[in-house]
Amino acid sequence: MDFKLKKNASIGKARTATLTTKHSSIQTPVFMPVGTNATVKTLSKDELKACGAQIILSNTYHNYLKPGEDAVETLGGLHQFMNWDRSILTDSGGFQVFSLSALNKINEEGVAFRSHHDGSKIFFTPESVAITQKKLGSDIVMPLDQCIELPAEKNKIIESVQRTLRWLDRALSVPLKDYQQTFAIVQGGTDPELRKFSAQETIQRDCFGYAIGGLSVGEAKPLMYESIDVVTDILPQDKPRYLMGVGTPVDIIEAVDRGVDMFDCVMPTRNARNGNLFTDYGQIMIKKKQYALKDEPVCTDCQCYTCQNHSLAYLHHLYRCKEVLGIRLNTIHNIHYYLNLMQRIRYSIEQDDFQRFKAGYLSKWNTSL
C-alpha cells in the first residue's frame, strides 16, 4: 500500500494524492459509497463502476452477523464474495456502539451486544474485530473505537479518547494479511484540547493512515469544522486522512478545504430511497407535485444513466407508485453525483482553483427544492 501527494492548494489545506492498495489505485479526495451488507443498496458492481466508484466501505458488524466472518472467508473474502475487484475499507463496528446504544454495554474489555436481528448475545473486543476484518479481507482495516453522542460531559469524552487509544494498541497487536493496513481513529468530541491530545497520542502509533471519528453525531456544523481543522493541523502530511461518516456535499467541501482525503456516508443511498436527489442547488424532493409533468432530467449536465435516460416526471411516478426501479434510478444518480463532485473537487485543486470552486458551490447550495 502506498500514498503519494500530488498537489497542495496554495490557499487552505486542500490536496490531491494517489492511494494505492493491492486492488486499485485511488485518486483523492475520494468518496466511498457505503456497502453495509456487502452491497451498495440496489446497485450492481458494474453500475458502481459506471458511477466512478474507486473504493467502497463495507460494515464489519453487519457482515459478522450475516453471512458471518467464517462464511465470507470460506468464499474468498469480501472481494471475491462481492465480485468487487477494487478497494474495500471495512469499518470497525464502533459506530454501531453509538447507534445501537440501547442494545449494548461497554466495558474495558470490549462491547457486549444484543443482535438487532434476533437478540442473540455478541461480544466485540479490539482483537476480535481486527480478526474479523482479517477474515473479511478488506484493504483498509479500522480498529474498534468508542464513539459517543454529542454534546457530552467532558469526563465522558476523556473516557472515550483514552479507551480508544487503549483499544488501538490492542488492535495493532493482531497480525493482518500482508496487504492490509490499519487506519487509527482520533476521538475527542468538539473539545479542541481533547482533540489535540487524541491526535497527538494517536500519531505516536505508526499507522498507515488516520481517521477523524466521533463527528456528525449531534454537534453544530461550526464545531465540527473547527474540530476537523484542529486534527488535520496535527496529522502527518504524508499519510491519508479519513473523515468518518460525513456527510453532505457542503460538509465534504468544507472538510477538503481543511485537509481531509477520504469520506464515507450513507446519505446518497439513504436519501435516494426516500426520494431525495442531489444537485448543485440542493436536494430535489421527487415526491412534490411540481415534478409530475417535468420532462427533463434531474440535472441537465449530468452524465449518469438516470439523467441520460429518464425524466423527473418518470422518477416522480415511480416514487408515487413505490416501484423498486425508482429507488435504483435515484441511487444511481446520487452515487454518480457524489463521485462526480469529488472529481470536480480534485480538478479544481489540480488547477489551484479550489477556493473559487468552493465559493461558487456554496453560493448555489440550498437544502431542498
Side-chain angles (χ1 to χ4, degrees), residues 96-302:
Q96 277 65 48
V97 174
F98 160 74
S99 63
L100 301 175
S101 58
L103 301 175
N104 71 59
K105 185 176 181 180
I106 304 170
N107 59 37
E108 186 61 26
E109 183 60 24
V111 187
F113 282 94
R114 288 279 184 180
S115 167
H116 71 284
H117 289 302
D118 59 12
S120 60
K121 293 182 179 179
I122 305 162
F123 193 69
F124 277 4
T125 68
E127 295 87 353
S128 73
V129 166
I131 291 168
T132 295
Q133 292 179 83
K134 180 178 182 178
K135 291 180 178 181
L136 296 177
S138 55
D139 298 279
I140 298 172
V141 168
M142 303 303 300
L144 185 64
D145 64 319
Q146 185 178 0
C147 177
I148 60 174
E149 186 176 6
L150 298 176
E153 296 175 0
K154 189 165 185 175
N155 65 316
K156 291 187 179 296
I157 302 174
I158 292 171
E159 179 183 76
S160 165
V161 166
Q162 293 178 337
R163 180 167 284 154
T164 295
L165 287 167
R166 292 193 295 270
W167 283 0
L168 172 60
D169 289 335
R170 289 168 56 187
L172 291 174
S173 71
V174 176
L176 301 174
K177 296 181 186 295
D178 59 4
Y179 65 85
Q180 293 180 305
Q181 293 285 358
T182 298
F183 278 32
I185 302 173
V186 175
Q187 289 290 343
T190 54
D191 185 301
E193 292 308 312
L194 289 178
R195 278 284 169 185
K196 288 178 184 177
F197 173 81
S198 180
Q200 289 166 346
E201 287 295 314
T202 302
I203 63 175
Q204 299 305 309
R205 285 77 171 170
D206 186 22
C207 297
F208 182 82
Y210 296 94
I212 305 170
L215 293 176
S216 195
V217 289
E219 77 283 0
K221 297 287 187 183
L223 290 174
M224 179 174 76
Y225 299 151
E226 178 185 343
S227 298
I228 296 167
D229 241 340
V230 167
V231 174
T232 55
D233 278 344
I234 295 169
L235 297 182
Q237 290 286 323
D238 60 348
K239 296 193 175 186
R241 304 154 173 179
Y242 163 32
L243 179 58
M244 304 175 73
V246 178
T248 67
V250 169
D251 290 339
I252 288 173
I253 288 171
E254 292 285 3
V256 165
D257 198 14
R258 290 161 171 79
V260 174
D261 306 300
M262 302 171 68
F263 302 87
D264 81 280
C265 188
V266 298
M267 191 170 286
T269 48
R270 183 185 61 201
N271 285 24
R273 296 193 297 278
N274 292 323
N276 296 331
L277 301 163
F278 285 94
T279 78
D280 283 1
Y281 297 89
Q283 293 185 71
I284 286 175
M285 300 176 68
I286 201 63
K287 68 181 179 182
K288 289 185 176 181
K289 291 182 179 179
Q290 68 196 65
Y291 300 112
L293 297 176
K294 283 274 189 179
D295 190 21
E296 59 189 59
V298 179
C299 300
T300 56
D301 58 349
C302 180

Side-chain angles (χ1 to χ4, degrees), residues 83-97:
N83 194 22
W84 177 254
D85 59 2
R86 297 181 182 178
S87 300
I88 299 174
L89 179 148
T90 42
D91 69 0
S92 67
F95 184 74
Q96 277 65 48
V97 174

